[in-house]
């Protein structure tokens, strides 16, 4: 590669639209992921995350636009050798043993990782001879994530990798995933937990209703979502006070998400709005994120 | 980061499909034990004093029954069940095309068809006068696999066109009528005329005649090959339509 010329993105999504009957799952979405980058796609259920992932995995084709992964169309089987995907936890073949499932996936590749290395990395070595159906939920989850790495892929696509795991299990899995990125792998994961995206990804893409709402580093997104929740009872509130706030409920009991709660309260007092039962709470990251994707947030 | 070749992938998928099926006791029971049981209960008690040809024919017709239950249950109902599993969707994300996976299904079907014949052949050799030469035996197995082609097409049509519960019900509904009209339980010589007329046109009867002819050297009725070909073409077309429709729904 000539010096200075940027490497081609590993994931290239260009103006992709995908509908399912009357539902528009993705609406003119463009996204590029550079080699070695870890990107988190954040959004509530039904935002279009899974559709995006299914296009990247070659399971679905876009109605319009192009999808390229690792330099090729993921609909072509041969190109999928460079992509690692995680099955759903409930989807493992119950009667096959852990080692057999790993060998089976490895059999699709010419340069798969050795079985023991995969099992060791994901803390599954002792379960190699156990049937998948006899694993605990957490162990199944680990195996599913491990399967994405078996083929020594260039890019790994993870769908909600640690949903439903307890904290130590989650931390362990995050460490395993991070080591892949550390070694130069490209990662794209979806989640509805900002915490998970923050732990694994350097860049965040916020999607809802099939569109990209915000994009930036984890800190930038965090900054944009540094939000306070303010509740109070009052009648009419002048519009100027509400500028920039996300109004969740209106009179008689107002509930707002705002960036600066001090300013809001000061304004209420200054303009003589009669209010009572004032509550100010820090919005959780989840709530803040909902504020970003909720109704009116895109406006 | 590069994918394995198609031959290796076909072999890989065949191996794992067989392995998965072998771990489910119901599969073994329905493919291997059921035809053997029918043979023990219905054939062996009457086989005293039979000529070798009669006993060989009785064995052959139950081998066709075994092939049919593999096609309807291991394939038909099994495919419908697999399609509903998330693992089947996951397989689509691996670097393997549709052809190796389809061939693996056919090979797996062949494996269980032959497996189902093993207990039959042992029982027939030990308990009846049935006897074949090596070449007749091999011809018989080849004829059985050929007779299994239209049955496989029916199995694929069922498996890809309907949900698991419906596929299982349809397989059960098809099994006995096809077996009886095909003369797989009771020889067609005892059939009333109207039934004998219908029988000639069934894929099971044609399959039965083909296998018996191969294993005993009896003359092959001229209707057999056209009937087998006709069912294969019709249900092959239905299967292709059903597979395309299924793939279109799930992966387009």
């Amino acid at each position: 590669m000539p010096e200075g010329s940027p490497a081609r993105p590993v994931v290239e999504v260009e103006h992709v639209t995908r509908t399912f009957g009357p539902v528009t799952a993705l609406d003119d979405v463009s996204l590029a992921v550079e080699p070695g980058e870890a990107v988190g796609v954040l959004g509530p259920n039904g935002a279009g995350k899974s559709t995006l992932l299914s296009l990247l995995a070659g399971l679905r084709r876009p109605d319009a636009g192009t999808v390229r992964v690792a330099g090729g169309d993921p609909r072509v089987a041969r190109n999928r050798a460079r992509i690692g995907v995680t099955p759903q936890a409930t989807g493992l073949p119950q009667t096959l043993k852990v080692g057999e499932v790993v060998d089976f996936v490895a059999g699709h590749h010419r340069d798969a990782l050795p079985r023991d290395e995969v099992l060791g990395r994901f803390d599954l070595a002792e379960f190699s001879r156990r049937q998948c159906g006899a694993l605990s939920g957490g162990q199944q989850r680990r195996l599913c994530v491990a399967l994405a790495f078996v083929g020594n892929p260039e890019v790994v696509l993870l769908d909600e990798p640690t949903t439903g795991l307890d904290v130590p299990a989650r931390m362990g899995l995050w460490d395993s995933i991070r080591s892949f990125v550390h070694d130069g792998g490209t990662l794209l994961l979806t989640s509805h937990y900002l915490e998970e995206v923050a732990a694994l990804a350097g860049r965040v893409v916020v999607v809802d209703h099939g569109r990209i709402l915000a994009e930036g580093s984890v800190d930038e997104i965090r900054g944009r979502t540094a939000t306070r929740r303010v509740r109070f009872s009052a009648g009419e509130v002048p519009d100027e006070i509400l500028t920039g706030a996300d109004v969740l409920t209106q009179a008689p009991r107002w509930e707002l998400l705002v960036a600066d709660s001090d300013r809001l309260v000061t304004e209420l007092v200054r303009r003589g709005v009669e209010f009572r039962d004032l509550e100010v709470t820090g919005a959780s990251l989840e709530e803040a994120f909902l504020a970003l994707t909720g109704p009116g947030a895109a406006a | 980061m590069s994918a394995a070749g198609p031959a290796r992938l076909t072999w890989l998928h065949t191996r794992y499909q067989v392995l998965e099926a072998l771990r489910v006791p119901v599969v073994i029971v329905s493919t291997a034990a059921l035809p053997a049981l029918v043979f023990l209960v219905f054939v062996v008690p009457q086989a005293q004093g039979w000529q070798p040809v009669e006993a060989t024919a009785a064995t052959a017709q139950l081998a066709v029954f075994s092939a049919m239950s593999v096609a309807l249950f291991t394939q038909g109902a099994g495919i419908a069940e697999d399609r509903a599993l998330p693992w089947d969707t996951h397989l689509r994300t691996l670097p393997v095309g549709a052809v190796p996976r389809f061939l693996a299904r056919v090979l797996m079907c062949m494996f269980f068809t032959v497996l189902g014949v093993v207990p039959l052949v042992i029982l027939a050799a030990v308990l009846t006068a049935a006897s074949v030469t090596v070449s007749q035996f091999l011809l018989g197995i080849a004829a059985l696999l050929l007779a299994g082609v239209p049955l496989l097409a029916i199995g694929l049509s069922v498996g890809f066109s309907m949900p698991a519960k419906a596929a299982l019900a349809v397989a059960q509904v098809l099994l006995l009528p096809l077996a009886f009209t095909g003369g797989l339980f009771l020889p067609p010589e005892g059939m009333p005329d109207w039934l004998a007329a219908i029988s000639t046109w069934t894929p099971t009867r044609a399959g039965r005649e083909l296998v018996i002819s191969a294993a005993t050297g009896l003359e092959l009725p001229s209707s057999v090959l056209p009937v087998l070909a006709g069912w294969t073409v019709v249900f092959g077309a239905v299967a292709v339509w059903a597979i395309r429709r299924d793939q279109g729904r799930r992966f387009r």
Side-chain angles (χ1 to χ4, degrees):
Chain A
M1 195 184 310
E3 179 127 358
S5 84
R8 195 165 178 181
V10 177
V11 173
E12 297 166 274
V13 175
E14 285 171 358
H15 300 291
V16 162
T17 296
R18 172 67 211 222
T19 58
F20 293 98
V23 180
T24 302
L26 291 175
D27 188 1
D28 194 28
V29 166
S30 295
L31 174 70
V33 181
E34 303 298 329
E37 206 184 0
V39 171
V41 178
L42 192 62
N45 289 330
K49 301 188 304 281
S50 299
T51 304
L52 178 64
L53 226 50
S54 67
L55 293 173
L56 295 174
L59 287 173
R60 299 279 185 181
R61 69 164 63 121
D63 295 330
T66 55
V67 173
R68 288 173 69 82
V69 183
D73 179 358
R75 300 281 295 181
V76 178
R78 160 168 49 83
N79 296 335
R80 294 199 290 269
R82 298 153 173 268
I83 310 171
V85 181
T86 299
Q88 291 176 26
T90 51
L92 292 165
Q94 302 289 299
T95 58
L96 291 186
K97 292 173 184 165
V98 171
E100 289 167 349
V101 175
V102 172
D103 288 345
F104 173 68
V105 173
H108 291 79
H109 299 271
R110 287 188 201 280
D111 45 9
L113 296 179
R115 182 216 283 191
D116 292 340
E117 190 183 324
V118 174
L119 293 178
R121 196 192 284 184
F122 287 88
D123 214 6
L124 288 164
E126 60 191 297
F127 307 114
S128 180
R129 299 183 57 77
R130 190 173 294 183
Q131 290 195 350
C132 292
L135 295 178
S136 74
Q139 290 157 355
Q140 291 204 11
R141 197 69 228 157
R142 286 215 298 279
L143 176 56
C144 287
V145 174
L147 290 180
F149 296 88
V150 166
N152 206 4
E154 226 169 282
V155 53
V156 164
L157 310 173
L158 299 177
D159 194 5
E160 312 272 349
T162 62
T163 300
L165 290 185
D166 57 21
V167 172
R170 174 173 291 181
M171 299 292 174
L173 204 46
W174 284 351
D175 281 343
S176 312
I177 297 168
R178 270 194 293 252
S179 73
F180 167 74
V181 178
H182 185 259
D183 294 343
T186 306
L187 174 70
L188 189 141
L189 84 146
T190 68
S191 186
H192 48 256
Y193 300 115
L194 185 54
E195 190 199 356
E196 178 161 77
V197 172
L200 297 173
R203 183 153 66 97
V204 185
V205 176
V206 181
V207 296
D208 196 24
H209 298 106
R211 289 178 161 275
I212 293 180
L213 299 184
E215 207 177 334
S217 70
V218 171
D219 287 340
E220 278 165 13
I221 296 295
R222 245 198 243 278
R224 291 178 64 168
T225 57
T227 306
R228 297 259 154 189
R229 177 182 297 262
V230 182
R231 294 192 191 90
F232 57 91
S233 298
E236 285 299 303
V237 173
D239 279 348
E240 304 88 83
I241 296 182
L242 300 175
T243 310
D246 192 22
V247 182
L248 301 178
T249 64
Q250 297 203 4
R253 183 73 182 162
W254 292 80
E255 184 170 350
L256 311 174
L257 291 172
V258 294
D260 186 348
S261 54
D262 298 338
R263 194 194 68 84
L264 180 94
V265 176
T266 310
E267 285 291 302
L268 286 173
V269 174
R270 202 171 65 80
R271 289 172 187 264
V273 177
E274 285 191 26
F275 64 89
R276 53 195 167 74
D277 297 335
L278 175 71
E279 285 177 68
V280 179
T281 51
S284 70
L285 286 174
E286 269 39 82
E287 288 170 326
F289 159 65
L290 281 176
L292 201 61
T293 60
Chain B
M1 282 182 229
S2 62
R8 202 180 121 184
L9 288 173
T10 304
W11 172 237
L12 179 75
H13 278 255
T14 309
R15 227 155 30 97
Y16 275 84
Q17 282 185 22
V18 168
L19 185 61
E20 251 189 287
L22 283 176
R23 295 253 168 91
V24 185
V26 177
V27 174
I28 310 300
V29 170
S30 67
T31 53
L34 188 63
L37 199 67
V38 173
F39 190 80
L40 269 179
V41 173
F42 291 104
V43 176
V44 173
Q46 303 175 45
Q48 308 309 319
W50 276 7
Q51 294 300 307
V53 171
E54 287 174 287
T56 306
T59 312
Q61 70 194 25
L62 277 170
V64 175
F65 176 72
S66 168
M68 178 170 63
S69 73
V70 169
L72 287 177
F73 291 102
T74 312
Q75 291 294 299
I79 287 172
E81 215 171 282
D82 283 352
R83 284 193 301 126
L85 297 176
W87 182 247
D88 194 64
T89 305
H90 182 67
L91 294 182
R92 281 281 301 214
T93 70
L94 297 174
V96 54
V99 174
R101 289 184 57 198
F102 180 80
L103 288 180
R105 278 228 162 265
V106 175
L107 288 173
M108 186 260 251
C109 191
M110 289 167 70
F111 172 84
F112 279 103
T113 301
V114 174
L115 184 75
V117 172
V118 172
L120 276 181
V121 168
I122 293 172
L123 287 176
V126 174
L127 299 175
T128 74
S131 82
V132 286
T133 64
V134 172
S135 68
Q136 279 173 332
F137 178 77
L138 293 177
L139 265 178
I141 293 290
L144 181 66
L145 294 175
L146 192 62
V149 172
L151 300 173
L152 174 66
I154 294 173
L156 292 171
S157 302
V158 170
F160 279 101
S161 65
M162 53 190 86
K165 278 183 181 168
L168 187 61
V170 168
Q172 279 161 345
V173 165
L174 287 178
L175 185 75
L176 291 182
L178 276 174
F180 273 108
T181 55
L184 302 187
F185 290 156
L186 301 168
E189 288 74 37
M191 286 180 184
D193 288 348
W194 64 269
L195 188 57
I198 295 173
S199 178
T200 314
W201 298 98
T202 61
T204 34
R205 174 68 185 279
R208 174 188 185 273
E209 301 306 328
L210 185 71
V211 179
I212 288 177
S213 165
T216 63
L218 288 174
E219 200 188 332
L220 186 67
S222 60
S223 62
V224 166
L225 291 178
V227 168
L228 286 177
W231 283 88
T232 302
V233 168
V234 171
F235 277 91
V238 175
V240 168
W241 166 81
I243 290 171
R244 288 210 168 144
R245 191 183 66 140
D246 171 61
Q247 299 294 302
R249 276 184 184 170
R250 294 194 294 152
F251 303 114
R252 197 149 289 158

